[in-house]
Amino acid sequence: MTTTPEELRAWARGVLPVEAATELLLRAFSGRFAEPGWPWMIRDEAYGHRLIDFDAIPVHVEGLSGGERQFLLIAASLGGNCPLILNDALPGLDRALLDLVLAASAHAAGSHHDSIMVEDRGGPMGFDRVDTLHPWPQAAPALRVIDGGQS
């Protein structure tokens, strides 16, 4: 049973923190933590494909790198009931992962649905929609290849 990213997004749709956590797993580490085989990727016969059991993540992160563990615990905290101490989870995340976490935080808070009040000298006139505080980053490689000047 394979599940596409679109199916996982459809499953998460409507609950902003779960949407954000799902997006984290799909975007980081080439999406490998959203693939079948991980204990948190469970099969739901009623739904017809796999879904993410975010509460299962914390008990299954041993053996992963520190950055992977930290990142997965952040996703588990957003998508499930995993308590998290930010002081333990954020330091040491690389720039690409931190960019994703900031976008997920903005999404979970609903900043992409925000409006601001428009005023003039007479007082409030209405509301305008505003962009998210931190958009999802474009896909970026974890490593950059630098040309050593060889031709």
Side-chain angles (χ1 to χ4, degrees):
M1 171 185 283
T2 54
T3 300
T4 66
E6 292 74 27
E7 289 171 326
L8 283 173
R9 289 179 177 114
W11 163 77
R13 190 169 295 123
V15 181
L16 295 179
V18 176
E19 288 178 9
T22 299
E23 204 61 37
L24 284 177
L25 293 189
L26 289 169
R27 288 176 179 254
F29 302 102
S30 301
R32 72 182 177 100
F33 291 120
E35 293 175 355
W38 294 102
W40 51 84
M41 295 303 297
I42 62 173
R43 185 181 192 137
D44 185 334
E45 297 297 336
Y47 198 67
H49 59 79
R50 296 190 186 278
L51 54 85
I52 305 166
D53 179 3
F54 288 103
D55 292 332
I57 290 176
V59 297
H60 295 287
V61 294
E62 291 303 317
L64 298 174
S65 74
E68 291 169 331
R69 250 190 335 271
Q70 288 167 255
F71 185 80
L72 287 170
L73 291 176
I74 291 168
S77 181
L78 280 171
N81 294 309
C82 173
L84 180 73
I85 299 172
L86 289 176
N87 191 31
D88 293 336
L90 293 177
L93 287 180
D94 67 30
R95 187 175 184 88
L97 292 179
L98 183 57
D99 197 15
L100 285 170
V101 168
L102 291 172
S105 299
H107 185 93
S111 79
H112 59 294
H113 292 299
D114 278 350
S115 298
I116 57 170
M117 187 179 297
V118 179
E119 297 182 5
D120 72 358
R121 293 182 186 189
M125 293 180 56
F127 294 91
D128 279 344
R129 298 282 300 207
V130 292
D131 291 334
T132 185
L133 285 174
H134 195 95
W136 289 102
Q138 297 299 317
L143 301 172
R144 287 189 308 173
V145 177
I146 300 174
D147 183 2
Q150 300 175 0
S151 305

